[in-house]
């Protein structure tokens, strides 16, 4: 029997092979670039934050466009600007085809556009997708790329670059009976929408705690923290926190393949109203729609097969570099 680390190494080697097939250059271009970014979650700087180190290494300028400054958290390291205050730029990057990115494309119509998937999108063409017209398209993994391609309504294949969040994966050191609970967003706000399932996830956490499991909560950046006050809340990103857990349970989202990349098996909590791409469910060892199933599901949790993992995760290591290399090509 192979252990998880051997399994994971083999799976991610396969993912790296996928990246080689894209022909993505690995040498960093020398030219300095000034980049504006517009996301489907206008104030959601957490999707851009993992790029900051590579941006600084290159001496680039990256600014996230926001509708106003009211939704910007004090001390946020991501530089932001409104369209009226935006600095001169060479490129506009959109991470989706929602109203805000589409409005920014219209506002900065003289800039070339790149579309980069930094969070999952449902594989249904967005109403304003035809307004985007990107010069290049990138995605983290083959599976995410298929969904993003359908979302953008394009026949063009995205270049697979990996997720910058996997560039520094933690070493897995699971603690006995520790379960990581991965939340979504319970209440929509001006930054973005919400996903159903929190009530079921809370009930599942209660069942797990009653069975002697220790609960560690990995909060979505926009989740209501007070809902989870009864438990330990991780003070590090969920991908990092997952290294401590024997298994994770939560509402399937962008972080799921990244947690699987760490080597932590996942259980998905599904609500009838929840719609996510199939590849987020594929990395789960099982899904539950009843809190009473949580304990057995966690006790039996396991990683997906190597091919499924590679398809969902993409290449690991150097992803931020590959992504910015693609942006540097756009003229």
């Amino acid at each position: 029997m192979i252990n998880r680390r051997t399994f994971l190494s083999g799976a991610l080697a396969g993912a790296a092979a996928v990246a080689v097939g894209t022909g993505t250059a690995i040498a960093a271009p020398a030219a300095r670039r000034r980049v504006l970014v517009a996301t489907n979650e206008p104030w959601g700087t957490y999707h851009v934050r993992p790029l900051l180190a590579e941006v600084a290494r290159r001496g680039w300028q990256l600014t996230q466009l926001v509708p106003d400054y009211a939704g910007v958290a004090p001390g946020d390291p991501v530089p932001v600007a409104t369209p009226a205050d935006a600095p001169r730029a060479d490129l506009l990057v959109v991470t989706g085809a929602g109203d805000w990115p589409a409005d920014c494309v219209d506002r900065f119509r003289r800039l070339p556009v790149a579309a980069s998937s930094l969070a999952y999108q449902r594989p249904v063409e967005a109403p304003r997708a035809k307004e985007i017209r990107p010069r290049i398209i990138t995605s983290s993994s083959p599976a995410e790329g298929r969904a993003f391609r359908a979302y953008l309504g394009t026949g063009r294949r995205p270049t697979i670059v990996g997720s910058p969040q996997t560039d520094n994966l933690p070493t897995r050191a699971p603690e006995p009976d520790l379960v990581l609970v991965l939340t979504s967003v319970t209440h929509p706000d001006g930054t973005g929408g919400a996903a159903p399932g929190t009530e079921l996830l809370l009930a599942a956490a209660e069942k797990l705690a009653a069975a002697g499991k220790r609960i560690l909560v990995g909060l979505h950046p926009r989740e209501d923290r007070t809902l989870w006050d009864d438990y330990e809340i991780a003070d590090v990103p969920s991908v990092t926190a997952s290294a401590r857990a024997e298994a994770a349970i939560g509402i399937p989202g962008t972080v799921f393949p990244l947690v699987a990349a760490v080597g932590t098996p996942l259980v998905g909590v599904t609500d009838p109203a929840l719609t996510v791409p199939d590849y987020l469910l594929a990395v789960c060892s099982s899904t539950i729609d009843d809190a009473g199933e949580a304990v057995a599901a966690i006790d039996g949790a396991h990683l997906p097969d190597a091919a499924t993992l590679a398809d969902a995760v993409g290449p690991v290591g150097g992803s931020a570099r590959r992504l910015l290399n693609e942006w540097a090509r756009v003229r």
Side-chain angles (χ1 to χ4, degrees), residues 34-39 61 63-69 80-94 99-114 128 131-135 330-331:
R34 301 165 298 180
V35 181
L36 301 178
V37 180
T39 76
Q61 175 184 293
T63 306
Q64 180 159 335
L65 294 170
V66 295
D68 57 54
Y69 297 108
V80 298
T82 66
D85 299 332
R88 291 175 62 105
D90 311 301
L91 175 67
L92 172 63
V93 174
V94 298
D99 285 338
W100 179 244
D103 288 346
C104 290
V105 168
D106 183 62
R107 174 69 178 263
F108 296 94
R109 62 185 65 185
R110 293 186 178 181
L111 289 179
V113 175
R128 300 186 67 178
E131 299 176 41
I132 301 302
R133 302 180 303 279
R135 302 274 180 92
V330 182
R331 292 292 186 269

Side-chain angles (χ1 to χ4, degrees), residues 11-86:
L12 297 183
V18 172
V20 171
T22 67
T24 304
I26 60 172
R32 184 175 185 268
R33 302 229 77 186
R34 301 165 298 180
V35 181
L36 301 178
V37 180
T39 76
N40 271 5
E41 300 171 82
W43 293 274
T45 57
Y46 41 84
H47 293 310
V48 175
R49 205 169 296 146
L51 299 173
L52 293 184
E54 180 64 16
V55 167
R57 188 186 72 80
R58 294 177 184 231
W60 284 20
Q61 175 184 293
L62 183 148
T63 306
Q64 180 159 335
L65 294 170
V66 295
D68 57 54
Y69 297 108
V72 181
D76 192 316
V78 178
V80 298
T82 66
D85 299 332

Side-chain angles (χ1 to χ4, degrees), residues 273-292:
L274 180 68
T275 303
V276 296
D278 289 343
Y279 74 91
L280 297 182
L281 301 177
V283 298
C284 300
S285 63
S286 63
T287 60
I288 65 169
D289 57 11
D290 185 310

Side-chain angles (χ1 to χ4, degrees), residues 172 175 177-183 201 205 208 213-219 228 232-251 255-256 258-260 262 264-267 269 298:
R172 190 160 185 264
E175 300 173 15
D177 294 321
L178 184 67
V179 176
L180 178 67
V181 173
L182 296 166
T183 75
L201 185 57
L208 289 163
K213 306 293 186 182
R214 294 187 299 128
I215 304 299
L216 176 66
V217 180
L219 283 179
W228 299 94
E232 178 187 357
I233 296 177
D235 57 3
V236 294
S238 294
V239 174
T240 305
S242 70
R244 294 177 50 196
E246 286 194 331
I249 184 171
I251 300 169
V255 76
F256 266 47
L258 313 181
V259 169
V262 174
T264 302
L266 292 141
V267 171
V269 169
I298 285 292

Side-chain angles (χ1 to χ4, degrees), residues 106-164:
D106 183 62
R107 174 69 178 263
F108 296 94
R109 62 185 65 185
R110 293 186 178 181
L111 289 179
V113 175
S116 292
S117 179
L118 299 182
Y120 87 84
Q121 306 290 352
R122 292 191 294 126
V124 178
E125 185 172 340
R128 300 186 67 178
K130 297 303 183 187
E131 299 176 41
I132 301 302
R133 302 180 303 279
R135 302 274 180 92
I136 65 162
I137 303 171
T138 71
S139 284
S140 297
S141 71
E144 184 184 83
R146 292 191 296 273
F148 198 44
R149 179 181 178 182
Y151 169 81
L152 292 176
T154 180
R156 183 186 304 178
R157 290 187 176 183
T159 298
I160 307 306
V161 296
S163 170

